[in-house]
Amino acid sequence: MNVLETMQQDKDSVIGLTLSLDLGCSKPIIGKVVNTKQSEWNTLVDGAMTTWYSYSVSFGGCGYYPVDCLTK
């Protein structure tokens, strides 16, 4: 199970883990997770309201970084 799948089941289960996030920079961002966030998005698709969620982690600063299926 990857990090995204783990967060989908329990978003706080990754707190305390050291993760590597590749956001397209020259080097991945590596840090110990201090906080997590789940954001709800509502989108109108073909006339029907669709709800989906995105997941982010914070390494102790004020910023949150998005988690995707490639996060290790």
Side-chain angles (χ1 to χ4, degrees), residues 37 58-65:
K37 180 170 65 169
S58 175
F59 299 123
C62 60
Y64 281 83
Y65 298 96

Side-chain angles (χ1 to χ4, degrees), residues 6-52:
T6 302
M7 289 184 75
Q8 288 171 334
Q9 291 182 5
D10 177 13
K11 72 175 178 67
D12 293 330
S13 63
V14 298
I15 292 177
L17 298 179
T18 299
L19 299 183
S20 173
L21 293 137
D22 187 355
L23 301 176
C25 304
S26 58
K27 292 194 280 185
I29 299 168
I30 299 172
K32 185 174 181 178
V33 178
V34 175
N35 203 0
T36 62
K37 180 170 65 169
Q38 175 184 354
S39 300
E40 181 179 308
W41 301 86
N42 295 298
T43 308
L44 194 60
V45 177
D46 294 331
M49 188 61 70
T50 303
T51 301
W52 57 279

